[in-house]
Structure formats: structure tokens, C-alpha cells
Amino acid sequence: VDTHVRAWMRRSGVQGPWPASDYVLALVGPDDSAEAVVRQAKRLAVALHAPWAAIHIERPTDPEAAARAARHTLAIAAELGADTEIRQAEAPNLVTALLDCAQARNANHLVIGRAPGSAWRRLLGRRLADALLRRAPEYAIHVVPAASEAARRPPARRRSWKETDWAPWLSVTVMMAAVTGVGVAGRGFLPTEAANMVYLAVVVGAAVLWGTYPALFAASLGLFTWDFFFVAPIYTVTIENPQDIVTGLVFGAVAILTGSLAGRTRAEARAARARVESLRRIGAFSRRLGTPTTEPDLLSEVARQAADLAGRAVVLTAQDQELTVQAAEPVPAALDEGAWAAARWAAQHSEQTGRGTSTLPSASWRFLPLHTVREQLGVLGVQADTDLDDARLQALEALSDQAAVALERVRLATESARAAALEDTQALRTALLASLGHDLRTPLTGIQGAAGTLRGAWETLTPDTRADLLASIEQDVSRMARFLANIADLTRLESGEIRPRLASIPVAQVAEAAIARLADPLHVATDVPPDLTVQADAALLEQVLFNVLDNAVKYAPSGSTVRVRAEARHREVAIAISDEGVGIPAEDLPHVFDSFFRVRRGDRTAPGTGLGLAIARGLTEAMGGRIEARSPSPYAAQQGSPGTEITIHLAMGAA
């Protein structure tokens, strides 16, 4: 019902939430209460038997550490079964972006953290909880306090004066000194108001280049120097005129507004560049990881890509319940005991461990799990000389995710190929056993019956009857010998033991020898030029022609003609054998040269093993030629069956 209602809402443009079912949405922020929010949302979803999601709304002004903490909390939410999402704050403020996401998901329970906020925000009612209560009365708002251990966390260490970047401050001082020198030199013709605007330009430039605080420093310094050098009485700092007070306020307002806008613009530009770089890297990973077709090549490529990001990389996979190094860049990559412990923990618990994480942070390596929905595949380890920044960490996480998918793809492809090979082997084994059961049992039964009759009634049988029984035994023995010879030839072909000795041989002579081996060669018509030669092995070509002729005679009706033709075609010789038999259905033509394949007509199958044409193809290809079949045959009788034509193509012999 919920699915149909949400689909109808999207089609009709109806704003949510629509109470078809409960849906819990947790807002993951950069504050200390984020993890408590996620766990409270999980408990609420379990109590309501409702789906839930965790969302983090990125803002350009958020520091990298806050964004990293939010992603860590989202990973915890994903482990708890939430649908996670990171959305950019395209809306004017956080409340609007959150409500847009809640309407898109038709959520009716919002779980947020209780951020401390400032006294000014509390006074103006600009805290998130107050804004949601005012603007979203149709939602159930759950406000979660920060965890107690987070409240006892020591305050962040402030940077000392030695760690401060003094370049902006010195640059502002130099710019003010230069502007003042130029102004003093041209004070005779430069009005006081003009000097004021020049100093204001310096304030704007400082705000654009370095932000709010250097801009405020430039405003204060500019106001002092302007009053000292240009406002009467000169060389004294006196603020008596209300215009001077207005000028100072304008300097400060311009510095604050321009600095904040410039800082936000730089932050948005950095975020945009980071997103573009992340997308570029993800696209590059997809292209590079999609090329390797074997697992060693794929793991080597993963190690190279990770080493480009972090300096040193290693890929470990599980072999016999133990991690082993499969690829490293550069080689060798030595892991100490602490690194091995972190790698095993990452593989067992599918979470990041090592340097820069909360699990075994003393290790010199950082390990990222390679896991998919189906299984844990291994870990990716990186070692950098410095701590990984947010952009490189995001790229490594994307690389580990894509590497896991690519590794699973390669393994599934290998398993599929192995399964297909086993299936083909099983099919051949089944066909061989079926052929053995039919093509050996039938002649053996005939031999046994004829031999028993001869032994038990030899004296009472006429000479003609004894001759017929002996001839049937001889025929059945020949049939069994031919079957076993075909099996032996097929085995030799598949093992590569047959190595043809090519020479220029006359086609007519080999064709006559093959026809002479047939049981009934009377209905075979030949049209082969006596001087036509091919590059082939005489014994193998004779066997090919005999197998094709035997197949044609088997399917040709009584009294019909089998034709053998040969002609030169573009530096090769085409030997065509056509019959006037029942033909081959179009769907069976691609399989006539497969082992143990026999065309069925209703419930009846022509006697044979289905190996003759398969051996003919193997021998022809061994001699560098090719063989093809088509049906109906162009030389079949007009009133007869469609017939079949099998053509053997071989290289032309030397003149």
C-alpha cells in the first residue's frame, strides 16, 4: 500500500508526508550527538516495525573533520540496516533541505540531535529543533541529547601562535603601507574621500583573498592610517567627526560581509572541485578495474591505484582461513605484527582499522575491507607518510568498493566458465555413455544371437544360413571397430596428438580411395578434375571424405545418388559432397559437427554415434581448412527430399 501511495503522490505532485506507513529519518550532523541519533532512530524503527534512513546534508562551510565524522556515523547506520544518503545543501538552509528529503521519502518521524548552539541562536529561535517545530507541524520530531562521554570530551586544542599562517597578515600590512606611501606622495592633489575609497579597495581585496579576519585587520589598519595621514589634524588619531565613525562602521561591515561571502564562495568552490575530482577518480577506477579479466591482474591494478593515492599499498585475500598478500606496490610491502592484527580485524569485522581509525590506531597501515553483499573478499591496506586527507580517504573508500565488486565479478566469471566446462564435460560423458549403451549393445546382441544360433544348430542350418549369420557377425564386429576407432580418433584430436604431414596430393585419387571403402559405392557420382591438387595429408583427407560420404549414404534414400564435386576457388579447393536425403533443419545446422550430435526426425534417430562429422571437422581444421554444411542441397532431386551438402575447403596444392 505504501509503495502504491508514494507512486500516486509522485504522479499527482502531492506533498508528504502521507501516513500510509511509518518511516523514520535520522539527520546525521557533524556534532557529538550523531551516533546517539542513529542508534535512537534504529530503536524507534524497530519499535514501529518501520523502515528507516540516515541522511547527512553537506554544507560547503563544514570542516573536513566534521564531514569525516559524519561519514563514519553513516557507516554505523548502514551496519544497523539503514538506507544512507549524503545530500548537498542546495536549499537555502538546512531545515528546507531536510524537509525536502523527508517529503521525497514520505517520512513522518524525524530524529535529530540536540546541538548546543549559541545564546544568540537560542534567543532568535534559529536552532534546528525550534525551526522544525515551527515549520513542520505534521512531523513527529525526536530530539536526542548528546552522549555523556561526548560531553566529557576535552576541548579541542587551540593552535599556538607558532602554528599561525602569518602570510595574510603580513601581506595586508605591506599593501596598506604601499597604499599609504602612494597616498602621502600624492596628498596635494588626492582628496581625502578618494584615499578613503583606496583603503576600502584594500579591505575588499583582503576579504576576497584571505577571508574575514584578515579583512577586519585590514579595515582596522586602514581606518587608523587614513585618519593618521589624511584626516585633519594630520599625524594624529582623532575621531571627532561623525563621518569618521560612519567610515569605520562601513569598513568593518564591508570586511565582514565580503570576507564571509568570499569564504563561502571558496568553500563551495573547494567542495565542487572535490566532487569533480571524486567523480573523475571513480570514473578512472571503473575503467581501469573493468579491463583485467584475471584475478592476479585485477589485484595488481588495485594495488597500483591505491599506491598512487597513498604511497604504498597491499591487497590481501583469504586463503585457507588466513590472509595472504596477493599484490603489493611497491614490491615488497612488509607488514609488522600490528599491521597483521589490524588486517585480520578488518577482514573479520568488515570495518576500517589501523592508522587514523578508532580500531588499532597504533598500526602504521590503514586497512579497508573488500566486501560485498555475498561475502568478505579481503582487505586493502595503504601506508602514507602523513595522515590521509579527506579527499584521498574518499577516493580510497570508492576504490575499495569498486575493487570488491570487480573482484567478485572476476570470480563469478571464473566460476561460470568452470561450471560451463563441467556442464559440457558432463554432457559429453552422458552422450558417450548413451552411445556406448546403444551402439555397442546392439551389435553385441546381434553377435551373441548369431553365435548362439551357430553353436546350437550348426548341423541343422543350411550353408546359406550359416553364411548369412557369419556375415552378420562380421558386419557387427566392423561396426564396433568403427565406433571404437572414432572414439580413439576423437581422443587423439582433443589431445593434439594428430599432426598432419601436408603435401600436394591429387583430389581425385583420394576421393576414389574413400569411395572404395563404402559398403555400397554404386550410387556415388564424382566430378573431380584429375589435375586438381590440395595441400593436405592423404590419410587424413581420405578419412574426412569417408566420414562425410558415410554420413550422406546413411541419410540418402534407396536408389538416390550421392555426388562428389571439387573445384578451385580463390587459391583454395572446395570439395562438396551432396545427397538427396531428408536434409537438416535450420536450427540443427550449427550443431551437425558437434560430438555425439544426431539429427532427430520424430521419435526415430538414424543409427550411428554422432562422431563422424565431428572427426571430419577436427581433421579438416588440423590440416588448416574448414568445413561447412547447408540444407537444402542445390543438387537434390526436384521432386525428392531437400538433401544436404557438406563442403570441405582446403588450400590449393602446388602446380
Side-chain angles (χ1 to χ4, degrees), residues 75-93:
I76 296 176
E79 293 179 359
L80 295 176
D83 182 12
T84 60
E85 179 184 355
I86 298 178
R87 178 174 292 196
Q88 304 299 324
E90 299 176 356
N93 53 53

Side-chain angles (χ1 to χ4, degrees), residues 190-244:
L190 184 65
T192 303
E193 292 77 7
N196 187 0
M197 298 305 297
V198 173
Y199 283 111
L200 185 60
V202 175
V203 173
V204 173
V208 171
L209 294 176
W210 298 296
T212 303
Y213 294 109
L216 287 174
F217 174 70
S220 302
L221 186 59
L223 181 63
F224 172 79
T225 55
W226 172 72
D227 188 274
F228 188 81
F229 288 102
F230 295 97
V231 178
I234 301 176
Y235 304 124
T236 59
V237 180
T238 58
I239 301 177
E240 298 178 351
N241 192 340
Q243 182 180 357
D244 299 339

Side-chain angles (χ1 to χ4, degrees), residues 60 569 600:
R569 299 178 183 174
R600 290 182 176 271

